[in-house]
Amino acid sequence: QVQLVESGGGLGQPGGSLRLSCAASGITFELYEMGWYRQAPGKQRDVVAAIRSDGSTNYADSVKGRFTISRDNAKNTVYLQMNSLKPDDTAVYYCHAERYYTYWGQGTQVIVSS
């Protein structure tokens, strides 16, 4: 059974930082492309960042230079370090795993507000 369990969401201050974690089980983690998506109220779910099995990364233009995705294959965990938070970063953040199949986590809420 595949599970992706996110943690680390919550309330962040504008200009502040949060770190999201996603612990994976039931997959050969190091072979999967891992990613973070987000969905704001009334909007579609969009990719935020992705990291491939070779460690290469991609970012949405809106988060480049502020967010960093990383993975620890020994811990089967992918991270999203979010710095210089903006109110527009408010969304539910979902962990995503893809190889031959696609898996999603349940999501973790991030609210950026003063």
Side-chain angles (χ1 to χ4, degrees):
Q1 181 181 357
V2 177
Q3 282 193 307
L4 302 177
V5 180
E6 301 102 333
S7 61
L11 178 63
Q13 298 280 333
S17 298
L18 286 173
R19 188 174 86 150
L20 306 183
S21 300
C22 171
S25 60
I27 59 173
T28 307
F29 180 81
E30 60 267 26
L31 299 180
Y32 275 71
E33 175 176 314
M34 301 298 298
W36 289 95
Y37 284 66
R38 68 185 180 186
Q39 187 166 20
K43 296 189 176 180
Q44 67 181 24
R45 189 176 299 188
D46 289 325
V47 62
V48 175
I51 184 165
R52 298 178 188 82
S53 57
D54 64 1
S56 59
T57 58
N58 286 102
Y59 295 92
D61 287 343
S62 59
V63 306
K64 280 181 182 176
R66 300 190 298 121
F67 290 10
T68 302
I69 189 170
S70 61
R71 64 191 299 159
D72 185 336
N73 289 340
K75 295 183 178 180
N76 287 3
T77 300
V78 61
Y79 305 97
L80 186 68
Q81 178 66 43
M82 305 187 294
N83 299 330
S84 302
L85 287 167
K86 302 177 180 180
D88 283 350
D89 295 322
T90 295
V92 178
Y93 285 71
Y94 295 91
C95 182
H96 174 264
E98 181 171 346
R99 193 183 179 207
Y100 302 121
Y101 301 100
T102 297
Y103 302 101
W104 293 94
Q106 296 279 71
T108 185
Q109 176 76 57
V110 170
I111 298 173
V112 182
S113 174
S114 55

